[in-house]
Every structure is written in C-alpha cells, then in structure tokens.
Amino acid sequence: MDLARACASSPRRGRWRRTLRSVAALCTALLAGAALTGAVPAGADTAGADTPTYDETYRPQVHYSPAQNWMNDPNGLIFHQGEYHYFYQYNPSGNTWGNMSWGHATSTDLVHWKQQPVAIPHNDDEMVYSGSVVLDRSNSTGFGTAQSPPLVAVYTSHFKASGKQAQSLAYSRDGGLSWTRHAANPVLDIGSVNFRDPKVFWYAPTKSWLMVVALSDQHKVSFYSSRDLKSWTHLSDFGPQNAVGGLWECPDLFPLAVDGDPRKTKWVLVVNLNPGGIAGGSGAQYFTGTFNGTRFTSDDHGYTPPSGTVLADFEGGDYGGWSATGTAFGTAPATGALPDQQTVSGFLGRGLANSFLQHDSSTGTLTSPVFTVDKPYLNFLVGGGNHPHVDGAGDGSPPPGEVFADFEGPTWGQGWTATGDFTDAGPTTGNLSGQIGSRILDTCVKTCDPATGTITSPSFTITRKYIDFLIAGGNHPWGGDGATAVNLIVDGQVVKTATGNNSGTMDWTSWDVSTLAGKTAQLQVVDNATGGWGHLMVDHLVHSDQAAKPRDVQTTVNLLVDNRVVRTATGQNSEMLDWTSWNLKDLIGKSAQIQIVDAGNGDWGHVLADQFMTADAPATNGIQRAHWVDYGADFYAAVTYNDAPAGKRIMHAWMNNWNYGGNIPTSPWRSAASFPRELSLKTIDGKPQLVSQPVDALASLRRGKAAKLDNTTVRSRTQTVRGGGQVLEIHTVLRQLDAKRFGINVRTGKGQLTQIGYDTTTSELYIDRTASGNVTFDATFPGVHRAPLPLDHGQLKLRIIVDASSVEVYAGQGQVTLTDQIFPDPASTGLSVFANDGSAQVKTLTAWHLASTWKN
C-alpha cells in the first residue's frame, strides 16, 4: 500500500478516528515531500509575491486576516512594550491547512494590524501547533538577561515522523520578531498523540509558572507547574464535564472579578471542543469556579436528573428480563470499560450496557421487556458511536441488476476519461467500511485533498428505474465552490447529483431515473475541492429496478411501539455517557419496548447505555447544560491575552469552523480572526456569567453620519432602514408587542439576507444564514444558530458588527454572543427591520459605517 493510499484510508477507519487531526497532520506532512518539510527561514512566506489590495470579495475590513494563505487558531497572545502580539496557526505555503507554523501580527489598538514575518516555522521534524507566549521577567529560563528578559513561546510540537505531540519552547530577544528553538526540546512529553495547546501564565501565589494543556481525546485539561518553564510537575486534571462530543482543545484559565468587585473573584476555564459545539462542529464552552494553585473546581457540581421510576439500571449479574442477540452485549452488563477500550465514564452505579465486547466488530441487540408508557418523559444515559437509526436500512448488500462499473481493474474502465490530476491515475486499493471488492474510485491521489479534476464514464442508455452506487468522502454538494460530487449528465445538463458525508464509510445512494428511460447519459465524478475532505470515493455503480437500501450501521437506543421505531438516540463518538430525554406525551397508555442496537462494525461501532427512567420532567444533556462563550458557528480556539493593560481580559478566536473551514470561498487568504472582545463576569439570574463586548477601539472606525430609526412600530412586515452597507456597527433596542418573531436583516439584496431575530415562542435569539449568499460550498454551512435569552421586560438590546463576510451579535448585557460567517454578494448591502405574525417596536436603532482598518 503506497503512502497516499495509507494516508487516505487510515484516518477514516477503525476506532482511532478520535486521533484524526493528529493522523491527518502526519499524512499531510509526509505527502508534502521535501519541498514542504524543509525548514522555512524566519520571515519567509513562500506564497505568491503579489500584494493583496485588501478589497477582494469577502475580504474582512475590520477583522484581521493574513494577506494570503491559511490561518486558524490564535496562539501566544500577549501585550508587550506597547503592542498586542497576535500569533496564529499559519500555512506559509498555501490557503489550505498544512505546514503548521506560527504567523504573527501586531497592533497598538487591537483594530489596525500589521502582518509580521512568520515567527516560528515548521521544519523537517515538527509542525508548530498552538500554544502561548509569556514574558520571562526574572529570566528563569536563562534565555535572556535580567536587564533584557526574553519572550518565551510554549508550543505543541507535532512530530511528523511519529504523530506524537509534546510541549516545546522557543524564545525571542528582540520583542517577538525572531525566535530560536530551545536546544533541549521537548520540555514536556507524556508519549501522547493528543496532548496539546498549552496556555501558560505566571501564578504569583506560588511564584511559579502554570500550564493548562489539553488531553484532547480524554476530554480533560491538565495543570502543570514549573519554576523555569523547562521542568514541569503535574498538579491535577479536570474533566470530563458538560460538553464532551468532540476533542477538547485550546484551554485557557484566568481570574475575573464578579461585578467588578475584586473581593469576589472567580476563575474561568475556557475549553474549546470540536466537534460537539452548540451550533454544530467547533465551539467554545467555559466553566466558572475556584483554583487553589493546584486544582480547578467547577461551580457545576455534577448533574442530578429529575426523579422517576427506574426501568433498568443494569446493576445485577445479568440483564434481567432483557433479551440479547448477536455478540455485542454478552450475557451480563459491563462494569465499565472493556479490554482495549478507553475509560468509560458518566454511567451510574456499577453496571451498564456496553457493546464493545469484541471491539467495534461485534454487533447485536439488547431488548427490554414490554412496558406501558405512563409518564411523559423517558430519560436515560447514552454514549458510544454517533451512528443514527435510518428507516429502511439494510445489510449493505448491492441491489440486483447490471454492474456498470466496479473499478476492480488497473484503469477507470473502458471508455472512461479523466482530466486534471486524475488523467494518469486509476482505481486504488481501499479498505473502507462498506466497500465491495478490493479497489475503489478515490480522488485522493498524488497530494490527496489538493488534487482536482473529473472522471467521466462513457455514454450509456438509461434502461432501468434506478442507478445505485456506493459513495463516501467530502460533503461538498454540486453547485457550490469546491464540489465533491457524482453527477448524472443528460443532454449536457446535471440532472442528478450526490456528495459524500465527510466520512470514510461507504454507503448506498440511489437515484430514481424512471422518468429518464431511453435517454443517453453519462456519469461524472467531480472533485474541485482542495481543503478538508477534498476528495470523494465511489464504487459499484449498478443499473437496477430496485433502490439500494442504505447500510444499517446504527449504534442507537430505540423505542419500539408496535415493532416500529418511534424514538431514537445515538452517542456522540465519546466513551462518556450523557443524558437524553424522549417526550412521550403522545404515547401514554401505549405498550413499548426499549431496544439498544449495535449494527456498526467500523469506526466507533459500539453503544453504551444506562439508567432508563420514566419521569415527569426531561433530563438535559451536556450541550444544554454547558456555558457557551459564543453560540454561533464560527468562534473557536478562543483564548485571551497575557499581560493586557489595566488587567483587562481580552479574547480572540478563530472565526471559522472545522466542518467547512477548508472550503470557504475566499482567496488568496482563508480564515480570519474574530473581533477582539473584552470579558467580564456579571451576576445574572443569580449566577456569575461570562459577558463580553467589542473592545472600545471599535468606535474609532465609525465614519460619517449615523443612520437612525427611533420609536417606529413594524407590524407583520419588513421596513427598510436607510444607511445600509457592507461594514456596519449597529446598536438597537427592540421591543416585542405581540410579534412571534422580530429583529434585523443585514446584507440584504439580490434575494439574499442574513436575519438576526428573536423567536418569542422559544425565547431564543438567532442568526439565520440560510439565504445569506453563497451557502452551497458545504452542506453543513447553511443553518439557523440559536441562543437562549429571556427578554428584558419585553426588550431586546443588540450590538452588531457586520463585515464583508461575517456577523457578530452581542445581546443583552453581553451574556449571549453569536458569531457567524456569511458570504453575500458585495452588492447586497441593504438593512431592514422586521416583525412576523404581529408587531414589534424599534425603540432605537443607530447604524454607523465603519472604515476599513487596512486603508485607514
């Protein structure tokens, strides 16, 4: 198996998907070859030499973005000698993820930025992952002098040869412009491939350095102490707790005074996670609590679900009246993790149902006795794989019919043609879950994701009712930039299309072509994507009179009524069980059974379940219980500055999402930083809550006369506000009268709008970007993102920053924020207010045009 094939398949199968980022990074580095793995001199930027004009389509005007190339996590944020230093994950060689190095920008006001040379470049041995920078005032490291103390970067070394992650040092003696790696790196190595993103700060009470670092796949944060930044002592761990649906990354720990009173200081622990964020994909949660120099204790002291009647708790020596089939569950409950399984947590008592008995390869069911639904809710704990129930799923067998292409030969097949990177390629040996035979069509060739082109079948006549085929890979639908799609072409037009699901598991897709009988057609595999999951796998094309059934790989808990699944739940690719609740009000009096199903034999192909209880109130899960720094889809890797003036706590985040980050339609750069926000803690509803506002310097960008709309009632309509634009700051206070939904539309025109609204039926603030412009580059991008927020005596106070490709919303006292990217037509600059199904009042609305930070 060649290197490209190994890299294409290994991250996508088996139970090691939880190390996907590490494996993917290793593969990227190895595939890049010597041209990219060689050391990059400090200050080098190997991308094109053309200087951007900073007025390209979608270019942010008040958010920092690099002149060109890919960026992601903020790193090493520090205020030093009158300047804010913003380091960040950066690819010096292109606008997709890879060759991770530290980019660098500086600012005196957090608004106007100057891009500096690359600070810490990747080299032959390592990529430079996230971390932090401190001023070593006492020269504890010996890297500088007492008179001229050094800046020290503590970063994660991602070693290319092994994939191992460890913590290393680099130092600067010239204020952060040039950096030297410590000769004895790494300084903290626990032998893990998921140990990253150190945030380091000086902890005065113990006169020592404190490190907060993520044990990503364990959903834990570790705390370490050092006197010299070189030798570290483990203090304690925190977690898992609250949201654990993805890898924990980029932690941060800092104190804040509650309500401005330094006698009431709380510590705030920020933990970013991906996936599993509140809006899907990437997200940032926080905990408030205490820190004693050794251990962080959260104010969230565990969760107790509503009381109820226990149907099953799996505390006995067998399953009682439950019946098992297959080999997944054995004859008795497990007492925690099974052999070779990671630590299982979150279950109650001693026992639980755990289908990891023969690892992910085992399958089976566990079914309860019949019971009568007599309460409105069924609450239970579930964990394991995220593979939902699909009605009508089968065993993966191909439908009967004529196999048009199986790609088992050395070429695409007789009459097939290819363009681009696929011209001289052919089917590759695969080992994907669900594939048939030994070879597949896979566009992961040469450089893998960056490879682009088409593979087209010979013409054929449609004679059957269906065209069925297996598909996997990138979820980038046809019609958007960077598509990964299989298309059916008739008379030169695409009449049917399908894309992958960002997975290496192959599953059946079926096209009903009965209305096209007798037509001449071609199949075309298109790969225009160059970012994450920028490839597609296709196999076993069949002309059939039957629609292929999707393959049943569920790892679920189902409720059966009359032998039909009426409720279902699945895990979150986590060994931590969490509460799920089913509303059964419509089923009271019905006879039902609970069935735990493990039909998966691939990645995360197992399920965990415990403590089934009927109750009068619903249980809440970790995502619902978590405290979110931001409720939008594009606020990740959120961390704060060290040594900010006047003790302020200022936060930056990566304004993107790993779901689609590599495919957003921007060039020659990709990704931007969130606008910096100042944090504080305020007592709201009796509890300290993190609140944030844009830094004060935003006001310095206001230009011209502000547009205003005051004391205006809008009833079941939309009213235009004069003074719209691409880049705005909006302050408004809206009052509900009797409208079900009301709010503001920004970037309207050409059939596009981004709606910032309030839903009175759910008491939620939301951003709706389903019609915000270009939403087709990835199937997970369009959506509505919501945040719980009670009105303040019927009023909604909003502060909004609108940029060329983003919206940031600060609501109430700043306790709720939503950050979303948008990609509207540049001519869509309208602004309006709306009220649906009733009336709302615009008490005040002021909109300022903001000057470009690049040209001002």
Side-chain angles (χ1 to χ4, degrees):
M1 182 180 290
D2 63 26
L3 179 60
R5 178 80 259 133
C7 284
S9 60
S10 62
R12 300 193 293 253
R13 67 175 190 268
R15 63 188 300 262
W16 300 109
R17 185 181 176 209
R18 62 208 71 184
T19 62
L20 176 60
R21 182 176 174 187
S22 300
V23 178
L26 172 61
C27 289
T28 299
L30 293 174
L31 287 166
L36 294 183
T37 56
V40 179
D45 191 325
T46 60
D50 293 340
T51 302
T53 61
Y54 286 94
D55 59 4
E56 306 96 335
T57 301
Y58 308 136
R59 170 69 78 169
Q61 297 300 303
V62 297
H63 294 77
Y64 175 74
S65 59
Q68 53 201 5
N69 298 347
W70 169 271
M71 71 174 289
N72 54 285
D73 303 359
N75 303 149
L77 307 185
I78 190 169
F79 182 78
H80 179 60
Q81 295 181 344
E83 286 189 315
Y84 294 91
H85 291 260
Y86 181 82
F87 300 93
Y88 51 91
Q89 292 285 276
Y90 185 64
N91 181 358
S93 305
N95 68 346
T96 58
W97 185 92
N99 314 303
M100 283 294 96
S101 306
W102 273 26
H104 185 199
T106 55
S107 173
T108 58
D109 62 1
L110 290 169
V111 171
H112 299 86
W113 293 93
K114 179 180 179 181
Q115 185 168 336
Q116 302 288 352
V118 172
I120 310 176
H122 74 110
N123 61 23
D124 289 340
D125 298 323
E126 69 175 12
M127 284 196 282
V128 185
Y129 275 11
S130 297
S132 50
V133 169
V134 296
L135 175 62
D136 185 12
R137 289 182 173 85
S138 66
N139 193 34
S140 64
T141 56
F143 292 152
T145 65
Q147 296 74 30
S148 182
L151 289 176
V152 181
V154 188
Y155 67 90
T156 296
S157 292
H158 174 89
F159 293 104
K160 296 176 179 179
S162 65
K164 186 174 67 174
Q165 296 175 1
Q167 314 321 312
S168 294
L169 305 180
Y171 57 91
S172 174
R173 295 170 177 162
D174 60 3
L177 293 180
S178 64
W179 293 82
T180 302
R181 285 173 165 89
H182 176 40
N185 280 340
V187 297
L188 180 57
D189 183 357
I190 64 171
S192 172
V193 296
N194 276 290
F195 180 52
R196 54 180 173 267
D197 309 336
K199 177 62 185 286
V200 174
F201 61 94
W202 180 254
Y203 185 68
T206 58
K207 297 181 180 180
S208 62
W209 298 104
L210 261 293
M211 178 193 292
V212 191
V213 63
L215 297 170
S216 296
D217 60 337
Q218 298 180 46
H219 310 110
K220 290 183 179 181
V221 168
S222 284
F223 300 91
Y224 287 83
S225 177
S226 175
R227 298 289 183 182
D228 60 2
L229 295 172
K230 298 175 181 178
S231 299
W232 292 92
T233 301
H234 180 254
L235 301 175
S236 65
D237 294 333
F238 171 81
Q241 192 167 324
N242 290 359
V244 294
L247 297 173
W248 278 20
E249 297 185 315
C250 301
D252 196 358
L253 179 70
F254 48 87
L256 283 176
V258 180
D259 302 321
D261 186 347
R263 296 169 300 176
K264 298 179 180 179
T265 295
K266 284 280 187 183
W267 285 80
V268 178
L269 175 63
V270 175
V271 179
N272 295 267
L273 75 161
N274 177 71
I278 185 65
S282 311
Q285 64 177 323
Y286 73 93
F287 304 85
T288 61
T290 59
F291 182 68
N292 63 4
T294 300
R295 183 175 301 275
F296 176 82
T297 302
S298 171
D299 289 337
D300 299 327
H301 299 299
Y303 172 69
T304 301
S307 60
T309 302
V310 176
L311 297 180
D313 59 10
F314 302 115
E315 292 301 296
D318 57 31
Y319 287 119
W322 291 57
S323 58
T325 66
T327 59
F329 295 96
T331 60
T335 56
L338 295 169
D340 298 324
Q341 188 176 20
Q342 290 189 352
T343 301
V344 173
S345 63
F347 62 100
L348 299 183
R350 181 174 179 271
L352 77 157
N354 182 348
S355 72
F356 197 72
L357 190 61
Q358 296 179 12
H359 304 114
D360 283 336
S361 64
S362 56
T363 61
T365 64
L366 185 63
T367 307
S368 78
V370 175
F371 66 96
T372 300
V373 178
D374 60 359
K375 291 190 177 182
Y377 294 96
L378 179 63
N379 301 326
F380 58 94
L381 291 161
V382 64
N386 187 348
H387 304 294
H389 169 82
V390 177
D391 286 336
D395 62 3
S397 299
E402 173 192 354
V403 177
F404 179 67
D406 60 9
F407 305 109
E408 290 300 303
T411 67
W412 302 124
Q414 186 174 358
W416 287 71
T417 58
T419 66
D421 292 306
F422 314 128
T423 302
D424 299 321
T428 50
T429 301
N431 188 24
L432 303 182
S433 178
Q435 81 175 60
I436 296 174
S438 61
R439 288 176 176 258
I440 57 173
L441 182 159
D442 189 347
T443 64
C444 179
V445 301
K446 299 180 180 178
T447 56
C448 197
D449 283 342
T452 60
T454 63
I455 304 168
T456 306
S457 79
S459 297
F460 60 90
T461 300
I462 296 175
T463 59
R464 301 288 188 98
K465 293 180 180 180
Y466 296 95
I467 296 177
D468 302 317
F469 54 93
L470 290 164
I471 188 170
N475 185 341
H476 312 302
W478 177 251
D481 294 336
T484 51
V486 180
N487 295 332
L488 180 66
I489 301 172
V490 175
D491 297 330
Q493 301 296 315
V494 174
V495 296
K496 300 285 183 181
T497 185
T499 188
N501 61 355
N502 288 353
S503 166
T505 298
M506 304 203 79
D507 204 357
W508 287 103
T509 286
S510 182
W511 288 333
D512 185 343
V513 293
S514 57
T515 61
L516 300 172
K519 292 281 189 178
T520 300
Q522 286 180 290
L523 291 163
Q524 187 171 73
V525 179
V526 180
D527 179 354
N528 292 329
T530 59
W533 281 108
H535 59 280
L536 197 68
M537 294 86 85
V538 182
D539 196 17
H540 215 75
L541 293 146
V542 181
H543 297 314
S544 177
D545 288 324
Q546 294 182 18
K549 294 182 178 181
R551 194 161 64 98
D552 187 4
V553 295
Q554 64 180 305
T555 51
T556 58
V557 178
N558 298 328
L559 184 69
L560 307 180
V561 174
D562 298 329
N563 291 317
R564 184 171 59 90
V565 175
V566 296
R567 300 288 190 277
T568 185
T570 188
Q572 294 297 319
N573 289 347
S574 170
E575 305 291 21
M576 180 177 176
L577 288 81
D578 198 4
W579 287 100
T580 288
S581 181
W582 287 333
N583 186 327
L584 306 183
K585 292 178 182 178
D586 60 321
L587 299 176
I588 289 179
K590 296 277 190 179
S591 295
Q593 287 179 285
I594 300 164
Q595 186 171 73
I596 308 171
V597 182
D598 178 353
N601 54 18
D603 180 33
W604 279 104
H606 62 279
V607 60
L608 315 170
D610 193 21
Q611 202 69 20
F612 291 90
M613 298 190 300
T614 58
D616 293 320
T620 56
N621 61 37
I623 290 179
Q624 295 167 319
R625 299 192 303 271
H627 315 286
W628 295 97
V629 180
D630 192 286
Y631 286 82
D634 295 302
F635 194 86
Y636 188 63
V639 290
T640 63
Y641 281 88
N642 281 334
D643 302 337
K648 292 183 177 181
R649 186 58 56 174
I650 298 169
M651 174 176 279
H652 264 301
W654 180 48
M655 198 165 62
N656 211 336
N657 190 306
W658 283 113
N659 273 354
Y660 45 74
N663 300 292
I664 60 172
T666 63
S667 180
W669 83 102
R670 188 169 273 137
S671 294
S674 68
F675 195 83
R677 55 183 65 174
E678 184 176 348
L679 307 180
S680 59
L681 282 175
K682 288 187 178 180
T683 302
I684 301 174
D685 297 330
K687 296 180 180 180
Q689 295 189 33
L690 191 67
V691 301
S692 58
Q693 294 292 344
V695 295
D696 292 341
L698 175 64
S700 69
L701 299 177
R702 297 171 184 168
R703 294 293 183 271
K705 185 178 181 180
K708 289 182 175 292
L709 182 68
D710 297 328
N711 298 317
T712 301
T713 298
V714 182
R715 180 172 178 80
S716 298
R717 65 186 177 94
T718 297
Q719 179 170 328
T720 299
V721 179
R722 293 182 180 180
Q726 283 195 25
V727 188
L728 300 171
E729 180 188 0
I730 303 168
H731 291 205
T732 187
V733 177
L734 307 174
R735 182 177 182 83
Q736 182 205 11
L737 298 178
D738 59 358
K740 289 186 178 179
R741 291 177 302 280
F742 61 95
I744 295 178
N745 298 319
V746 300
R747 300 301 305 272
T748 68
K750 294 182 175 289
Q752 302 173 2
L753 62 81
T754 299
Q755 186 165 97
I756 302 159
Y758 190 83
D759 188 337
T760 64
T761 65
T762 60
S763 298
E764 291 175 317
L765 179 70
Y766 65 87
I767 295 180
D768 183 345
R769 67 178 182 189
T770 56
S772 61
N774 185 349
V775 298
T776 61
F777 55 87
D778 189 277
T780 64
F781 183 81
V784 181
H785 305 129
R786 298 174 176 270
L789 179 71
L791 294 176
D792 184 4
H793 299 92
Q795 295 189 154
L796 174 66
K797 182 179 180 182
L798 300 176
R799 188 175 183 185
I800 304 167
I801 304 173
V802 182
D803 206 343
S805 54
S806 64
V807 174
E808 290 184 75
V809 180
Y810 300 77
Q813 301 179 62
Q815 74 269 35
V816 164
T817 63
L818 294 101
T819 301
D820 272 5
Q821 292 182 98
I822 56 174
F823 300 99
D825 188 289
S828 299
T829 59
L831 174 66
S832 61
V833 294
F834 74 93
N836 294 339
D837 299 319
S839 300
Q841 182 189 30
V842 182
K843 293 194 68 177
T844 65
L845 187 152
T846 306
W848 292 272
H849 287 268
L850 298 178
S852 170
T853 61
W854 306 116
K855 302 171 184 178
N856 178 48

